[in-house]
Short mmCIF file of all heavy atoms in Angstrom, two decimals:
data_model
loop_
_atom_site.label_atom_id
_atom_site.label_comp_id
_atom_site.label_asym_id
_atom_site.label_seq_id
_atom_site.Cartn_x
_atom_site.Cartn_y
_atom_site.Cartn_z
N MET A 141 -12.63 14.46 51.59
CA MET A 141 -11.92 15.55 50.92
C MET A 141 -11.45 15.13 49.53
O MET A 141 -11.43 15.95 48.60
CB MET A 141 -10.73 16.00 51.78
CG MET A 141 -11.12 16.85 52.96
SD MET A 141 -9.71 17.63 53.81
CE MET A 141 -8.94 16.21 54.57
N MET A 182 -2.06 26.87 48.46
CA MET A 182 -3.01 26.58 49.54
C MET A 182 -2.57 25.38 50.36
O MET A 182 -2.67 25.36 51.59
CB MET A 182 -4.40 26.33 48.95
CG MET A 182 -5.09 27.55 48.36
SD MET A 182 -5.56 28.79 49.61
CE MET A 182 -4.25 29.97 49.40
N ALA A 183 -2.06 24.34 49.64
CA ALA A 183 -1.60 23.15 50.35
C ALA A 183 -0.44 23.48 51.27
O ALA A 183 -0.39 23.02 52.43
CB ALA A 183 -1.18 22.08 49.33
N PHE A 186 -1.73 25.66 54.39
CA PHE A 186 -2.44 24.91 55.44
C PHE A 186 -1.54 23.87 56.11
O PHE A 186 -1.70 23.59 57.31
CB PHE A 186 -3.68 24.24 54.85
CG PHE A 186 -4.82 25.18 54.59
CD1 PHE A 186 -5.15 25.56 53.29
CD2 PHE A 186 -5.54 25.73 55.64
CE1 PHE A 186 -6.19 26.44 53.05
CE2 PHE A 186 -6.58 26.62 55.40
CZ PHE A 186 -6.91 26.98 54.11
N THR A 187 -0.60 23.31 55.36
CA THR A 187 0.34 22.36 55.96
C THR A 187 1.25 23.06 56.96
O THR A 187 1.58 22.50 58.01
CB THR A 187 1.20 21.68 54.87
OG1 THR A 187 0.34 21.05 53.92
CG2 THR A 187 2.10 20.61 55.48
N TYR A 188 1.64 24.28 56.64
CA TYR A 188 2.49 25.05 57.56
C TYR A 188 1.72 25.40 58.84
O TYR A 188 2.28 25.34 59.95
CB TYR A 188 2.97 26.33 56.87
CG TYR A 188 3.84 27.19 57.75
CD1 TYR A 188 5.18 26.88 57.97
CD2 TYR A 188 3.31 28.34 58.37
CE1 TYR A 188 5.98 27.68 58.78
CE2 TYR A 188 4.11 29.15 59.17
CZ TYR A 188 5.44 28.80 59.38
OH TYR A 188 6.23 29.58 60.19
N LEU A 189 0.44 25.76 58.69
CA LEU A 189 -0.37 26.10 59.87
C LEU A 189 -0.59 24.89 60.77
O LEU A 189 -0.55 24.99 62.00
CB LEU A 189 -1.73 26.66 59.44
CG LEU A 189 -1.73 28.05 58.78
CD1 LEU A 189 -3.15 28.46 58.43
CD2 LEU A 189 -1.10 29.10 59.70
N ARG A 190 -0.84 23.72 60.14
CA ARG A 190 -1.09 22.50 60.90
C ARG A 190 -0.39 21.34 60.19
O ARG A 190 -0.91 20.82 59.21
CB ARG A 190 -2.59 22.23 61.01
CG ARG A 190 -2.96 21.02 61.86
CD ARG A 190 -4.48 20.94 62.01
NE ARG A 190 -4.88 19.81 62.82
CZ ARG A 190 -5.18 18.60 62.33
NH1 ARG A 190 -5.14 18.38 61.01
NH2 ARG A 190 -5.53 17.62 63.13
N PRO A 191 0.79 20.96 60.63
CA PRO A 191 1.60 19.95 59.94
C PRO A 191 0.99 18.54 59.99
O PRO A 191 1.40 17.69 60.78
CB PRO A 191 2.95 20.00 60.67
CG PRO A 191 2.96 21.28 61.41
CD PRO A 191 1.55 21.55 61.77
N GLN A 192 -0.01 18.31 59.16
CA GLN A 192 -0.66 17.02 59.04
C GLN A 192 -0.98 16.75 57.57
O GLN A 192 -1.24 17.70 56.82
CB GLN A 192 -1.96 16.98 59.85
CG GLN A 192 -1.80 17.14 61.35
CD GLN A 192 -1.16 15.92 62.00
OE1 GLN A 192 -1.21 14.81 61.45
NE2 GLN A 192 -0.55 16.11 63.16
N PRO A 193 -0.98 15.48 57.14
CA PRO A 193 -1.36 15.18 55.75
C PRO A 193 -2.75 15.70 55.39
O PRO A 193 -2.98 16.12 54.25
CB PRO A 193 -1.31 13.65 55.68
CG PRO A 193 -0.35 13.25 56.76
CD PRO A 193 -0.53 14.26 57.85
N THR A 194 -3.67 15.70 56.38
CA THR A 194 -5.02 16.21 56.10
C THR A 194 -5.00 17.68 55.70
O THR A 194 -5.82 18.13 54.89
CB THR A 194 -5.93 16.02 57.33
OG1 THR A 194 -5.25 16.55 58.49
CG2 THR A 194 -6.25 14.56 57.57
N SER A 195 -4.07 18.44 56.25
CA SER A 195 -3.97 19.86 55.92
C SER A 195 -3.54 20.05 54.47
O SER A 195 -4.06 20.92 53.76
CB SER A 195 -2.97 20.55 56.85
OG SER A 195 -3.33 20.40 58.20
N TYR A 196 -2.60 19.23 54.02
CA TYR A 196 -2.14 19.30 52.64
C TYR A 196 -3.29 18.98 51.68
O TYR A 196 -3.53 19.71 50.71
CB TYR A 196 -0.99 18.31 52.43
CG TYR A 196 -0.54 18.19 50.99
CD1 TYR A 196 0.41 19.05 50.46
CD2 TYR A 196 -1.09 17.22 50.15
CE1 TYR A 196 0.82 18.95 49.14
CE2 TYR A 196 -0.69 17.11 48.82
CZ TYR A 196 0.27 17.98 48.33
OH TYR A 196 0.66 17.86 47.01
N ILE A 197 -4.03 17.92 51.98
CA ILE A 197 -5.13 17.50 51.11
C ILE A 197 -6.22 18.57 51.08
O ILE A 197 -6.79 18.88 50.03
CB ILE A 197 -5.69 16.14 51.59
CG1 ILE A 197 -4.59 15.08 51.51
CG2 ILE A 197 -6.89 15.72 50.75
CD1 ILE A 197 -4.89 13.83 52.32
N PHE A 198 -6.50 19.16 52.25
CA PHE A 198 -7.51 20.21 52.34
C PHE A 198 -7.09 21.42 51.49
O PHE A 198 -7.92 22.01 50.78
CB PHE A 198 -7.70 20.63 53.79
CG PHE A 198 -8.72 21.72 53.99
CD1 PHE A 198 -10.07 21.45 53.92
CD2 PHE A 198 -8.30 23.03 54.24
CE1 PHE A 198 -11.01 22.47 54.09
CE2 PHE A 198 -9.23 24.05 54.40
CZ PHE A 198 -10.59 23.76 54.33
N GLY A 199 -5.82 21.78 51.56
CA GLY A 199 -5.34 22.91 50.78
C GLY A 199 -5.45 22.69 49.28
O GLY A 199 -5.87 23.58 48.53
N ILE A 200 -5.06 21.50 48.82
CA ILE A 200 -5.19 21.16 47.40
C ILE A 200 -6.64 21.25 46.97
O ILE A 200 -6.98 21.79 45.90
CB ILE A 200 -4.63 19.75 47.14
CG1 ILE A 200 -3.11 19.73 47.25
CG2 ILE A 200 -5.08 19.23 45.78
CD1 ILE A 200 -2.39 20.36 46.08
#
Side-chain angles (χ1 to χ4, degrees):
M141 284 190 290
M182 290 292 101
F186 285 107
T187 304
Y188 180 78
L189 290 180
R190 184 174 180 267
Q192 296 290 337
T194 50
S195 302
Y196 174 87
I197 299 163
F198 179 76
I200 289 285

